[in-house]
Amino acid sequence: GDAVHLAMAAFGLIYLLFLWRIAFDYHRMLVDTYQRHVADDDLLREQQRIFNSSAVGIAVIKDRAITTCNTRLAELFGYAQEDLYGGSTRMLFGSDAAWEAHSEEVATVAGSREICQFEERLVHRDGGAIWCLLQGRAANTADMDAGTILTVSDINSLKSVEATLRDSRDQYELVVRASQGGVWDWDIVGKRTYYSPQFKAILGHPPEADFEGLFFFEDALHPEDRERMITAQASHLEEGLAFDHEYRLR
């Protein structure tokens, strides 16, 4: 009888240990799952923070509608984020033609590794125009239905600078043409050279001639002026002496 009782007690103890092990493993699984969820939630919150703190507007476009966007995109166009969710991208374009053309361009990159990029004058909620640089790429290259991620950068200030430079260049061209003098502008630091049409004409070339491969100062100098002018040029560049000389070019 004692042996039977001992056997039953041992079996009961083993069974309890077995149940404890199952409970322990289950508890550990629950803890691990919870910790993974916490880590995933932390990661998701961090990704959302980065998404909304970006300096450029970001939107996911699907079927020409904004499925989601960040804070910057909404601010850029004067909307609340919730006002843009599910809305047509047409509200950001100034014309049907521009919207149609660029919507097709954006749609073509979905499900591919291609990237589209274009500049367009988009429209603020108050009707004002905003020059923007837009870049689109597939949200998932393996899934066309995932849509396109579109980034939108405000380039209004850049366009203003371009317009100012263009106006200045046009005014400069008018002055150069009116002077009837040839202008050769050599930007040593920026490694850029400008030859006015009149300068090319003086040397017997048409205005459209590519002087980058045609004109070399030392080679163009008259042999009797070459040594003197090379020395004068070196003194100007090295010592800052004024460069005001007469010489002959061929």
Side-chain angles (χ1 to χ4, degrees):
D2 291 340
V4 172
H5 285 111
L6 285 173
M8 291 181 63
F11 177 78
L13 180 60
I14 292 171
Y15 182 69
L16 287 175
L17 288 172
F18 176 71
L19 291 178
W20 177 85
R21 179 69 189 197
I22 291 175
F24 176 80
D25 289 344
Y26 183 69
H27 176 265
R28 186 171 62 181
M29 181 188 69
L30 289 176
V31 170
D32 289 346
T33 301
Y34 173 75
Q35 289 176 339
R36 280 197 301 271
H37 279 305
V38 169
D40 289 344
D41 287 344
D42 289 343
L43 177 61
L44 182 61
R45 281 193 294 270
E46 179 64 14
Q47 290 173 338
Q48 191 68 31
R49 186 190 66 78
I50 294 171
F51 181 63
N52 279 317
S53 62
S54 172
V56 300
I58 306 173
V60 178
I61 308 298
K62 184 177 179 182
D63 298 328
R64 301 189 180 189
I66 301 169
T67 60
T68 188
C69 68
N70 69 345
T71 303
R72 175 56 182 153
L73 187 83
E75 291 174 347
L76 185 59
F77 296 103
Y79 292 93
Q81 279 179 277
E82 55 269 23
D83 293 335
L84 293 175
Y85 292 160
S88 170
T89 52
R90 174 64 182 86
M91 71 176 76
L92 304 180
F93 286 83
S95 69
D96 288 338
W99 176 59
E100 287 286 350
H102 292 309
S103 292
E104 287 297 327
E105 191 173 355
V106 169
T108 57
V109 302
S112 75
R113 298 186 182 276
E114 299 296 321
I115 297 176
C116 69
Q117 177 174 304
F118 56 91
E119 294 179 2
E120 182 61 41
R121 290 183 69 180
L122 300 182
V123 181
H124 190 274
R125 188 174 190 174
D126 65 10
I130 308 172
W131 270 107
C132 294
L133 171 66
L134 296 93
Q135 296 170 303
R137 67 182 307 161
N140 184 343
T141 56
D143 182 8
M144 288 188 63
D145 293 333
T148 304
I149 297 175
L150 194 68
T151 61
V152 183
S153 305
D154 181 355
I155 58 171
N156 250 349
S157 57
L158 177 61
K159 284 296 182 180
S160 296
V161 171
E162 286 181 357
T164 300
L165 290 174
R166 187 165 52 249
D167 291 342
S168 298
R169 186 177 65 247
D170 292 343
Q171 292 173 5
Y172 180 68
E173 290 283 359
L174 288 173
V175 172
V176 169
R177 284 199 296 269
S179 70
Q180 295 299 308
V183 175
W184 167 33
D185 184 7
W186 182 20
D187 180 357
I188 299 173
V189 176
K191 297 182 179 180
R192 293 185 295 268
T193 308
Y194 168 77
Y195 307 96
S196 72
Q198 184 62 16
F199 181 82
K200 297 176 183 179
I202 290 172
L203 296 179
H205 295 276
E208 66 276 8
D210 180 11
F211 257 37
E212 294 296 329
L214 288 174
F215 180 78
F216 301 95
F217 181 64
E218 293 183 11
D219 295 339
L221 285 166
H222 191 282
E224 295 178 6
D225 298 331
R226 183 174 293 120
E227 185 176 349
R228 174 175 61 87
M229 292 313 305
I230 291 175
T231 302
Q233 184 187 60
S235 297
H236 172 67
L237 295 176
E238 297 170 9
E239 303 173 27
L241 299 179
F243 190 83
D244 185 6
H245 302 273
E246 291 184 3
Y247 52 90
R248 291 164 287 180
L249 294 175
R250 299 181 298 173

